Amino acid sequence: MAGYLLARAAVPVIVLEKHADFFRDFRGDTIHPSTLELMYELGLLDEFLKQPHQELRELRAVVNGQTVPIADFTKLPTHCKFIAFMPQWDFLNFLSTNAKGFPNFQLLMQHEVVDLTFDQQRVTGVRAKTPRGELEIRADLVIGADGRHSVIQERAGLERQEFGVAIDVLWMRISKKETDPQQTLGFFQQGKLLVLLDRGDYWQCGFVIPKGGFDAIKARGLQQLHKDIVSFAGFLRDRVAQLDDWSEIKLLTVQINRLRDWCRDGLLCIGDSAHAMSPAGGVGINLAIQDAVATANLLAGKLRTGPVSVDDLRKVQARREWPTRLIQAMQVFVHRHVVTGQTSRRKDSLPFVVRLLKWFPILRQIPARFIGIGPRPEHICSRGR
Ligand SMILES: Cc1cc2nc3c(=O)[nH]c(=O)nc-3n(C[C@H](O)[C@H](O)[C@H](O)COP(=O)(O)OP(=O)(O)OC[C@H]3O[C@@H](n4cnc5c(N)ncnc54)[C@H](O)[C@@H]3O)c2cc1C
């Protein structure tokens, strides 16, 4: 997204992606109303909505067997009053295909950044591993958008604060049938959670487990895991045995962390590279996009003519840090009080917040706004060609 916006604003950009394609399974699928609004502002919305996707207007969860509404997106002041579900690889292919229309945009696949280059304290570029050997690329600005295992952040020596997370996620696929219930998303039960993402002909399942608990689950055996899944979503009973080998079940470690400084001379980190997000609320993709928009808004004008100062880079952090802090605080709260909290462990009980949402429909607009738009939404201010 940062590459798209900077190239659109006539800044020469090279995007390096270490894989040969964008086909990663592990990144979630939610495109929120805030991101859809950006697509509208860029004139891409009609084309975007032609891509295969599902639309979720109301977020519901099954908590200890009771279906409860959590968020109502239909009253949001945005063009799209829904979350679009689109696998992230389709979204990235869509963005990069459109970016390739800009003469200043270059996407180099299978180019893995392995190090930074420096001139004294200033970052001057990157070294990348490619199928044709190692390559050095010099740049006025290196943007670290390489996710939560960021090499760029690590090589830049930026200090990271970790916020303890008590959960990990098991990630697996189970086929879908037409008779299955509509997308509900979350099944909470006595301090456990199963998330189902509708990916057309299969359910992408995320089963939340206590951190470090995978070995114990393996020791109990696959059949016990099948039983656990069915206890959340009974309609999967006739298919859960499709998970017949542990290799089909991936362990995703969940982290929440944030850099103290998102930049240094010649380098800026954004997205998960600056602040790794948990899946709670499904907001990480959209927050990363907000960072990209702020980056282009604040820096494109200056980058057109050359390097930017550290003070310029700090403005991006200053703009995006408090929305990030707020959302990460919400994620920590959800982990403690909804997913693993005491209240959710009691049979048949509903956490107090969830009860309020059930009793007072108007309150559902609050989570809708927080999840769907988020604090301090960005708008496209960087100039087009
Ligand atoms: C289990 C799980 C489920 C989630 N579900 C959701 C969800 O439903 N909705 C949501 O909004 N968020 C979700 N999140 C959070 C979300 O995935 C992240 O916050 C979001 O993907 C961050 O985007 P990013 O562009 O910063 O990083 P990433 O999406 O991680 O992208 C980084 C990119 O950089 C590439 N890369 C990495 N290292 C290098 C390198 N050295 N050189 C070149 N390229 C490199 C990677 O291949 C990748 O393409 C989930 C997170 C987890 C752990």
Side-chain angles (χ1 to χ4, degrees):
M1 186 68 171
Y4 174 95
L5 291 171
L6 290 172
R8 174 179 173 274
V11 178
V13 179
I14 302 176
V15 175
L16 306 180
E17 167 55 54
K18 70 175 172 184
H19 292 106
D21 54 42
F22 290 121
F23 196 77
R24 303 286 86 67
D25 213 7
F26 315 126
R27 291 193 198 136
D29 304 29
T30 56
I31 311 292
H32 288 206
S34 58
T35 302
L36 294 166
E37 196 65 9
L38 295 168
M39 294 294 114
Y40 170 79
E41 291 174 13
L42 290 167
L44 295 175
L45 184 62
D46 290 343
E47 209 46 45
F48 175 88
L49 293 176
K50 284 184 196 155
Q51 315 301 311
H53 69 280
Q54 284 101 36
E55 297 175 4
L56 185 85
R57 288 180 163 72
E58 189 191 44
L59 189 62
R60 273 171 289 143
V62 179
V63 182
N64 293 338
Q66 302 185 50
T67 302
V68 281
I70 301 288
D72 174 7
F73 300 107
T74 59
K75 311 278 185 318
L76 288 180
T78 45
H79 284 82
C80 296
K81 298 173 194 311
F82 53 82
I83 290 181
F85 277 78
M86 182 184 287
Q88 206 182 119
W89 56 86
D90 284 343
F91 182 51
L92 291 176
N93 282 331
F94 172 79
L95 267 187
S96 56
T97 304
N98 278 283
K100 283 175 194 158
F102 300 123
N104 290 317
F105 182 86
Q106 247 186 299
L107 170 61
L108 303 178
M109 303 303 281
Q110 287 182 287
H111 279 59
E112 178 180 359
V113 173
V114 287
D115 212 345
L116 298 172
T117 58
F118 293 89
D119 178 3
Q120 296 179 355
Q121 289 307 305
R122 183 177 171 79
V123 174
T124 54
V126 298
R127 249 191 275 284
K129 208 166 74 187
T130 83
R132 289 169 302 286
E134 218 167 90
L135 183 76
E136 193 175 310
I137 300 176
R138 294 178 73 83
D140 286 338
L141 177 65
V142 172
I143 299 182
D146 49 342
R148 59 212 183 101
H149 304 296
S150 172
V151 168
I152 290 182
Q153 172 214 101
E154 189 241 314
R155 290 290 192 272
L158 298 173
E159 192 191 337
R160 200 169 60 195
Q161 300 165 270
E162 292 288 343
F163 305 96
V165 174
I167 58 165
D168 283 329
V169 178
L170 300 184
W171 204 239
M172 54 225 159
R173 294 174 176 198
I174 298 180
S175 65
K176 214 182 119 213
K177 283 188 177 168
E178 284 193 3
T179 49
D180 287 350
Q182 274 189 328
Q183 186 151 43
T184 307
L185 227 61
F187 296 80
F188 296 82
Q189 201 167 278
Q190 297 166 55
K192 293 182 187 159
L193 167 62
L194 175 73
V195 175
L196 296 183
L197 299 175
D198 182 350
R199 285 193 178 159
D201 54 352
Y202 67 93
W203 293 107
Q204 179 64 57
C205 311
F207 190 43
V208 175
I209 61 166
K211 193 166 260 321
F214 192 30
D215 284 343
I217 288 174
K218 274 183 162 172
R220 286 162 59 216
L222 259 179
Q223 280 192 348
Q224 187 55 47
L225 179 67
H226 295 166
K227 278 188 197 155
D228 285 349
I229 292 173
V230 169
S231 73
F232 285 84
F235 62 92
L236 295 175
R237 188 182 313 275
D238 57 346
R239 282 157 277 164
V240 73
Q242 289 165 1
L243 300 169
D244 58 2
D245 192 281
W246 288 107
S247 64
E248 288 163 32
I249 298 156
K250 310 261 177 345
L251 172 69
L252 303 186
T253 52
V254 178
Q255 312 164 352
I256 300 182
N257 61 42
R258 192 166 62 236
L259 295 184
R260 217 174 274 283
D261 291 309
W262 296 16
C263 60
R264 55 179 286 175
D265 201 7
L267 178 134
L268 170 70
C269 288
I270 59 174
D272 269 21
S273 160
H275 45 75
M277 307 301 290
S278 119
V283 287
I285 297 168
N286 302 276
L287 194 67
I289 285 175
Q290 297 283 313
D291 287 358
V293 176
T295 301
N297 286 348
L298 291 164
L299 304 181
K302 290 195 175 165
L303 281 171
R304 259 197 297 271
T305 53
V308 285
S309 68
V310 183
D311 283 344
D312 292 324
L313 298 176
R314 284 202 187 107
K315 286 182 188 150
V316 178
Q317 176 173 359
R319 187 157 175 91
R320 296 305 314 157
E321 186 163 2
W322 79 253
T324 306
R325 280 172 178 260
L326 204 61
I327 293 176
Q328 288 186 322
M330 175 277 285
Q331 296 194 317
V332 170
F333 177 88
V334 168
H335 290 169
R336 287 207 188 124
H337 297 274
V338 183
V339 181
T340 52
Q342 289 301 325
T343 37
S344 57
R345 280 206 191 102
R346 288 206 306 270
K347 258 195 180 165
D348 305 330
S349 78
L350 288 180
F352 183 63
V353 184
V354 175
R355 265 183 269 163
L356 283 178
L357 294 170
K358 197 173 171 188
W359 294 332
F360 304 106
I362 196 159
L363 294 182
R364 293 172 211 157
Q365 290 177 37
I366 299 170
R369 207 170 170 112
F370 196 74
I371 296 170
I373 300 182
R376 186 177 262 174
E378 301 291 346
H379 296 279
I380 308 290
C381 301
S382 48
R383 194 155 51 85
R385 276 188 294 183

